[in-house]
Amino acid sequence: MTYRPLFHLTAPTGRLNDPNGVTLLGDQLHVFYQHDPAYGIGPKRTGWGHAVTSLSTGGGACSDAWRHLPDALYPDAPYDKNGVYSGGSVTLPDGSIQLFYTGNLKVDGLRHATQNRVFVTDLSAPTGGSFRRDPSNPLIDAPAPGFTNHFRDPQIIQLADGRYRMALGAQSTDGHGHIVIYYSRDLATWDYAGPLVFEGLSPRLAESYMWECPNLIRLRDSADGQWYDLAVFCPQFEGSDECVWVLGTLEGLTFNVIRNAAPVDHGHQFYAPQLIELSDGTALMLGWMGLPGKDDASTFEAEGWLHCLTVPRRVTLRAGALYQEFLTSAPLTSSHPAVTWDPATRTVTVNDGHAPRSAHLPDGIDPDLRILADSCALEVIAGGGLVAFSSMLY
């Protein structure tokens, strides 16, 4: 028996974490990811792994068809020698691609975070293209005033007025999580705008000490035809790490909350998702089936690899609620010993043998269980996509 799944992206060896720079070129889905190939055998050297698959077969992605390409980025520049950390991808109107990432440098034990750019050539080449760091790096050479060096994970979106917006996960000097915004006309020079102000946000989130991996995108609600802003981010608390979505309208730096801080995924291992907007008002999402600092999986000692990504999911908005569906050609089932439906309490539960995780479905919603059991990786979608679970079972 092998732990390695067929339909979920795993690193050939070493430790995988956050998906990075997700790029859709025609029907080819390029996914970069945090990769430490020397994990467990040498000093940490996190860079970006790279793999590609196709979304052409019935709109699905089948990860037994993931093609691994050479790692794209290594921590070998003066400003990132302690880690090429997470970031995003931008596809320009001329079809060229640029990557942005956080460089991590430690001097005398102190972290120094910078934001950097990479020019990509021939991404569709059989060898995965070439990657050249901008000679002007770092483009942002320090945190904004009032923030610590926990200042990372750039996500770039082009706005309707032609400007580019960078969203960064951040920690203020008084120890609270934020999303910080920069703007640029040319992707080279970035002007600091300030932190987002969430009007009506759950007060509990103010207790978190860091917000990681922000996504700010727009979705079209299929019920009323209107466009809304979606914020997805990972608030960190002492002893726990979460991933939430917030729906609202963004006006400048003010995010007016309509739907408050709900979990993106109710499972045991889900973190740091990356979402990209699609032209039809939906989004494509992949998440990390792992958690920060929790590397006790059985897969490393047995097979030399650690963690995986979810299969790609389509994210849609309907009547103010977020729905997810698998984009995969993997066989699905409606039953699994670890998954139960209780009609009396209207709860779906996934049990990993240690700590069950449950989610409630509203009255009148069919449980409609869709279960992807792929060796040690288990993903569940229920209620027509209203709730999702990602769990690793060993």
Side-chain angles (χ1 to χ4, degrees):
M1 174 184 174
T2 178
Y3 284 116
R4 193 184 292 272
L6 292 175
F7 297 94
H8 291 76
L9 177 59
T10 58
T13 59
R15 183 180 189 271
L16 166 154
N17 55 295
D18 307 5
N20 296 152
V22 176
T23 304
L24 187 59
L25 293 180
D27 64 358
Q28 297 298 297
L29 179 64
H30 288 262
V31 176
F32 302 91
Y33 56 88
Q34 294 281 277
H35 185 211
D36 182 4
Y39 177 83
I41 59 174
K44 183 178 179 180
R45 54 186 182 96
T46 300
W48 281 25
H50 184 194
V52 63
T53 190
S54 173
L55 289 178
S56 60
T57 305
C62 175
S63 64
D64 59 357
W66 283 109
R67 181 163 61 93
H68 285 280
L69 299 163
D71 280 8
L73 298 172
Y74 295 89
D76 54 7
Y79 46 81
D80 66 22
K81 68 178 184 179
N82 295 109
V84 176
Y85 282 3
S86 290
S89 167
V90 179
T91 301
L92 277 65
D94 64 3
S96 62
I97 295 166
Q98 298 180 13
L99 305 177
F100 290 80
Y101 71 91
T102 297
N104 184 44
L105 175 66
K106 291 186 177 179
V107 179
D108 297 329
L110 298 177
R111 179 194 305 267
H112 184 62
T114 59
Q115 313 310 320
N116 305 286
R117 176 167 65 162
V118 176
F119 300 109
V120 182
T121 305
D122 295 330
L123 187 63
S124 296
T127 55
S130 60
F131 304 86
R132 180 176 64 87
R133 287 174 171 84
D134 188 334
S136 299
N137 285 345
L139 303 185
I140 301 174
D141 64 2
F147 291 89
T148 75
N149 273 284
H150 290 288
F151 200 75
R152 54 182 175 266
D153 312 332
Q155 182 233 16
I156 316 293
I157 291 285
Q158 187 170 25
L159 304 176
D161 63 6
R163 292 181 303 163
Y164 293 92
R165 182 187 66 207
M166 178 188 292
L168 286 161
Q171 179 190 64
S172 59
T173 52
D174 62 358
H176 298 289
H178 292 273
I179 296 175
V180 166
I181 301 297
Y182 286 77
Y183 294 108
S184 176
R185 286 285 180 186
D186 59 5
L187 294 170
T189 301
W190 291 89
D191 298 319
Y192 174 60
L196 287 186
V197 176
F198 285 82
E199 295 289 351
L201 189 65
S202 167
R204 177 178 173 273
L205 290 182
E207 302 170 8
S208 63
Y209 64 83
M210 172 68 188
W211 290 1
E212 290 196 302
C213 305
N215 293 263
L216 279 177
I217 65 170
R218 287 176 62 76
L219 293 178
R220 185 177 180 273
D221 194 312
S222 61
D224 64 12
Q226 300 299 308
W227 289 83
Y228 295 90
D229 293 289
L230 177 74
V232 173
F233 55 94
C234 297
Q236 295 185 302
F237 299 85
E238 294 296 336
S240 70
D241 302 288
E242 302 178 9
C243 181
V244 301
W245 63 272
V246 179
L247 186 70
T249 57
L250 182 60
E251 300 174 6
L253 294 178
T254 301
F255 195 106
N256 298 294
V257 174
I258 296 173
R259 181 75 181 271
N260 225 322
V264 176
D265 188 289
H266 296 265
H268 297 81
Q269 288 95 10
F270 183 89
Y271 199 75
Q274 191 155 104
L275 293 87
I276 58 173
E277 297 177 354
L278 301 177
S279 60
D280 61 358
T282 68
L284 178 71
M285 180 177 75
L286 291 96
W288 171 35
M289 291 182 70
L291 289 171
K294 296 187 178 179
D295 295 334
D296 55 350
S298 304
T299 59
F300 183 74
E301 284 191 16
E303 299 174 3
W305 60 273
L306 194 61
H307 305 307
C308 68
L309 299 186
T310 66
V311 297
R313 299 177 187 175
R314 185 183 298 276
V315 176
T316 59
L317 185 63
R318 189 189 321 155
L322 212 62
Y323 287 79
Q324 303 177 48
E325 64 175 301
F326 295 134
L327 291 181
T328 180
S329 56
L332 304 180
T333 181
S334 59
S335 63
H336 189 278
V339 184
T340 58
W341 163 249
D342 184 343
T345 60
R346 298 198 56 78
T347 56
V348 180
T349 300
V350 175
N351 193 340
D352 70 346
H354 303 284
R357 296 291 181 88
S358 298
H360 175 79
L361 290 177
D363 290 342
I365 300 295
D366 187 332
D368 188 23
L369 293 174
R370 306 202 175 185
I371 300 170
L372 173 53
D374 186 16
S375 189
C376 66
L378 177 69
E379 292 190 70
V380 180
I381 285 177
L386 196 56
V387 298
F389 297 81
S390 300
S391 298
M392 302 293 281
L393 308 181
Y394 305 109

